[in-house]
Amino acid sequence: MAEMLSDLARLRRETRVQEQLFETLLREKSSASTEELEELADALQTEEHRQASLHLVGLKGISERLKVYRERSDDSRARSMVRIAEEIFDIFGSWLELFQNTRLRILQLASARDPHPLSPVFTNGNEAVAYLDRLMK
Amino acid sequence: MNPRRVQTAPTFDRAFQKLPRELQQATREAIRHFVDRSHENAILPERKTGLRGVWTFRVTRGIRVFYVQRRDKEAGKVSSVLFHVGQHDDYRTILRHRP
């Protein structure tokens, strides 16, 4: 149990470190071109999906064990295991969301730095659809 | 209810053009509903969790449009500027449902 709690603390620390690394990356890329930022966002998405597939498989195993622990609600050790499992879900949720939100911040920055003008303002759905139809051709 | 004022950024246009045809069609319909404020319960415009100033609405279960709101100084009105469309996984929901 102590080892698991120590692992959870380590995972929390790693998430905070990753968050700081992403903040540094965003500062470093604040004057990058739109094209460079879009490439970076694509690379980050690939990594996000790799991490998600890696972790979601592991979490499935924890989920199966969690069912068993939940049924033993009168067992204090089982209740501790449920709390630990929920903490693991929370940590990995934060971890994956961090990748996703960083990617979106990069895309937002790419959009702000794009020298090309915005589309006209659409005030009815048909105007917007006509514009998108032209993009689809 | 008044329609929304909506613009697309070039980054959105490029992301839209990269989508497969069927997702382009779905995005087109979602944007129609977004501008006209029809089917709000289907597209679910909402703030993006953990990202200040970014909003999102739903195209399909896994695809969202992302936008910011900007005040047009000349018109004195708020416009929604769509800057991206693409994959979005609600990891907290996925984990809550425990695959």
Side-chain angles (χ1 to χ4, degrees), chain A residues 1 72-81 83:
Chain A
M1 186 78 76
R72 290 164 36 195
S73 57
D74 53 341
D75 177 346
S76 66
R77 188 172 179 278
R79 286 198 302 273
S80 298
M81 293 306 285
R83 280 196 296 274

Side-chain angles (χ1 to χ4, degrees), chain B residues 34 45-46 53-57 65-69 80-83:
Chain B
F34 181 68
E46 60 181 4
V54 176
W55 293 67
T56 171
F57 65 87
V65 171
F66 299 91
Y67 64 101
V68 292
Q69 293 184 329
S80 298
V81 179
L82 315 185
F83 69 89

Side-chain angles (χ1 to χ4, degrees), chain A residues 61-79:
Chain A
I62 294 174
S63 167
E64 291 302 315
R65 289 199 293 280
L66 190 59
K67 281 181 203 161
V68 178
Y69 289 126
R70 281 221 165 95
E71 285 163 9
R72 290 164 36 195
S73 57
D74 53 341
D75 177 346
S76 66
R77 188 172 179 278
R79 286 198 302 273

Side-chain angles (χ1 to χ4, degrees), chain B residues 27-41:
Chain B
T27 304
R28 181 180 172 273
E29 286 314 302
I31 290 174
R32 183 202 297 276
H33 294 317
F34 181 68
V35 177
D36 291 340
R37 293 187 197 267
S38 53
H39 296 73
E40 294 281 280
N41 289 340

Side-chain angles (χ1 to χ4, degrees), chain B residues 1-83:
Chain B
M1 190 174 276
N2 289 336
R4 289 188 174 91
R5 293 167 54 83
V6 175
Q7 287 180 283
T8 68
T11 49
F12 172 89
D13 294 352
R14 286 193 290 277
F16 176 79
Q17 286 174 315
K18 284 184 197 166
L19 291 174
R21 196 75 171 175
E22 68 273 16
L23 286 178
Q24 287 183 334
Q25 296 283 6
T27 304
R28 181 180 172 273
E29 286 314 302
I31 290 174
R32 183 202 297 276
H33 294 317
F34 181 68
V35 177
D36 291 340
R37 293 187 197 267
S38 53
H39 296 73
E40 294 281 280
N41 289 340
I43 63 170
L44 294 173
E46 60 181 4
R47 287 178 195 275
K48 171 76 183 86
T49 315
L51 267 188
R52 192 179 299 170
V54 176
W55 293 67
T56 171
F57 65 87
R58 184 183 292 235
V59 174
T60 65
R61 192 159 170 257
I63 299 290
R64 301 278 177 93
V65 171
F66 299 91
Y67 64 101
V68 292
Q69 293 184 329
R70 189 180 290 178
R71 182 165 287 279
D72 182 337
K73 284 176 189 162
E74 283 178 23
K77 292 177 180 170
V78 172
S79 295
S80 298
V81 179
L82 315 185
F83 69 89

Side-chain angles (χ1 to χ4, degrees), chain A:
Chain A
M1 186 78 76
E3 197 178 328
M4 273 191 242
L5 291 172
S6 159
D7 284 345
L8 287 178
R10 179 178 54 78
L11 289 170
R12 287 264 180 227
R13 276 197 306 276
E14 284 177 8
T15 305
R16 281 195 297 272
V17 167
Q18 187 60 62
E19 192 172 1
Q20 285 160 6
L21 289 172
F22 280 149
E23 289 300 327
T24 305
L25 178 72
L26 282 160
R27 274 197 302 276
E28 283 173 2
K29 297 293 179 188
S30 61
S31 57
S33 68
T34 300
E35 193 180 36
E36 193 183 342
L37 290 165
E38 285 181 327
E39 280 172 15
L40 180 61
D42 284 347
L44 206 56
Q45 184 169 35
T46 303
E47 180 59 17
E48 175 193 322
H49 290 163
R50 192 188 72 80
Q51 297 263 347
S53 59
L54 202 71
H55 296 316
L56 291 177
V57 169
L59 292 169
K60 190 175 180 183
I62 294 174
S63 167
E64 291 302 315
R65 289 199 293 280
L66 190 59
K67 281 181 203 161
V68 178
Y69 289 126
R70 281 221 165 95
E71 285 163 9
R72 290 164 36 195
S73 57
D74 53 341
D75 177 346
S76 66
R77 188 172 179 278
R79 286 198 302 273
S80 298
M81 293 306 285
V82 169
R83 280 196 296 274
I84 286 172
E86 283 173 349
E87 177 118 358
I88 290 170
F89 287 128
D90 186 49
I91 290 170
F92 283 110
S94 302
W95 176 262
L96 294 171
E97 206 171 68
L98 180 61
F99 275 74
Q100 190 169 70
N101 285 347
T102 304
R103 175 169 60 89
L104 288 168
R105 286 173 70 187
I106 290 168
L107 288 167
Q108 199 183 355
L109 185 60
S111 177
R113 296 195 62 79
D114 197 312
H116 301 100
L118 300 177
S119 73
V121 177
F122 309 118
T123 51
N124 77 64
N126 289 337
E127 289 172 5
V129 164
Y131 177 82
L132 294 170
D133 283 347
R134 287 197 292 278
L135 293 180
M136 285 167 72
K137 283 176 185 159

